[in-house]
């Protein structure tokens, strides 16, 4: 097989790795503690960092481009609306996690201004929709069974209603 393109993080460092892992580590620790205490409570935390992503294409028109992204992520405790839903014993079976983040490209090598991005929602992987925002939005969304849609609906009850409220 031929290599068509390569992607890597140019500014990888121990500080960047720590910033990127802050929220996942906090979430994992809260969930482990909940197994012992039967009580879920997330520690609020935030993480802001830059990522410089290099994209190298091969073949005709081969080039390398570096995009610089500003990333902001947060995890809420039970004082916020998302945290209250996630920590409520009535919704434990849904395994909600009050983790959200945004990312925007602020610089592209070789250009005075980066191309405008069309914001997309992500739930760890991109979802096939546009947000209409100038940023990508990551959330621990409740998704349809085929992962193509964020759970929605106005005539829901029980867990379906909790899922709709969560995604708001």
């Amino acid at each position: 097989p031929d290599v068509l393109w390569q992607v890597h993080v140019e500014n990888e460092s121990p500080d960047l790795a720590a910033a990127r892992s802050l929220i996942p580590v906090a979430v994992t620790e809260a969930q482990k503690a909940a197994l012992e205490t039967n009580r879920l409570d997330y520690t609020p935390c935030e993480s802001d960092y830059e990522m410089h992503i290099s994209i190298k294409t091969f073949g005709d028109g081969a080039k390398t481009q570096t995009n610089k992204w500003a990333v902001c992520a947060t995890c809420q405790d039970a004082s916020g609306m998302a945290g209250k839903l996630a920590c409520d014993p009535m919704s434990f079976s849904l395994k909600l996690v009050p983790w959200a983040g945004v990312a925007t490209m602020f610089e592209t090598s070789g250009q005075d201004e980066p191309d405008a991005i069309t914001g997309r929602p992500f739930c760890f992987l991109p979802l096939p929709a546009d947000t209409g925002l100038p940023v990508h939005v990551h959330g621990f969304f409740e998704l349809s069974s085929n992962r193509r849609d964020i759970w929605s609906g106005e005539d829901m009850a029980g867990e379906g209603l909790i899922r709709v409220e969560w995604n708001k």
Side-chain angles (χ1 to χ4, degrees):
D2 293 334
V3 175
L4 301 178
W5 48 275
Q6 290 178 332
V7 177
H8 78 274
V9 178
E10 280 191 352
N11 64 327
E12 190 62 52
S13 69
D15 287 343
L16 179 61
R20 291 179 65 193
S21 67
L22 182 71
I23 306 287
V25 168
V27 166
T28 301
E29 288 174 359
Q31 292 172 339
K32 283 182 183 177
L35 293 174
E36 296 173 11
T37 63
N38 249 3
R39 182 174 182 275
L40 183 58
D41 191 19
Y42 291 97
T43 302
C45 55
E46 294 179 356
S47 183
D48 303 319
Y49 51 91
E50 285 185 19
M51 284 190 66
H52 304 172
I53 300 174
S54 175
I55 304 165
K56 184 176 184 178
T57 58
F58 296 92
D60 295 339
K63 67 178 182 173
T64 300
Q65 177 176 311
T66 300
N67 299 326
K68 295 184 180 180
W69 292 81
V71 180
C72 177
T74 185
C75 184
Q76 276 191 350
D77 63 4
S79 66
M81 188 170 105
K84 283 180 186 171
L85 276 172
C87 296
D88 184 344
M90 297 297 291
S91 61
F92 276 4
S93 65
L94 297 176
K95 299 181 173 108
L96 306 174
V97 179
W99 174 2
V102 295
T104 189
M105 186 171 42
F106 66 90
E107 187 177 312
T108 298
S109 62
Q111 295 182 4
D112 291 337
E113 289 192 32
D115 296 331
I117 65 166
T118 301
R120 292 182 63 182
F122 286 72
C123 185
F124 298 97
L125 296 170
L127 298 170
D130 294 335
T131 63
L133 301 171
V135 297
H136 292 314
V137 178
H138 167 75
F140 208 98
F141 297 111
E142 282 292 299
L143 302 176
S144 62
S145 61
N146 64 6
R147 282 196 49 89
R148 297 193 56 75
D149 300 298
I150 295 174
W151 191 285
S152 63
E154 297 191 18
D155 58 347
M156 298 285 172
E159 282 190 354
L161 180 60
I162 294 171
R163 291 170 192 239
V164 169
E165 288 300 312
W166 175 256
N167 284 334
K168 287 182 181 178

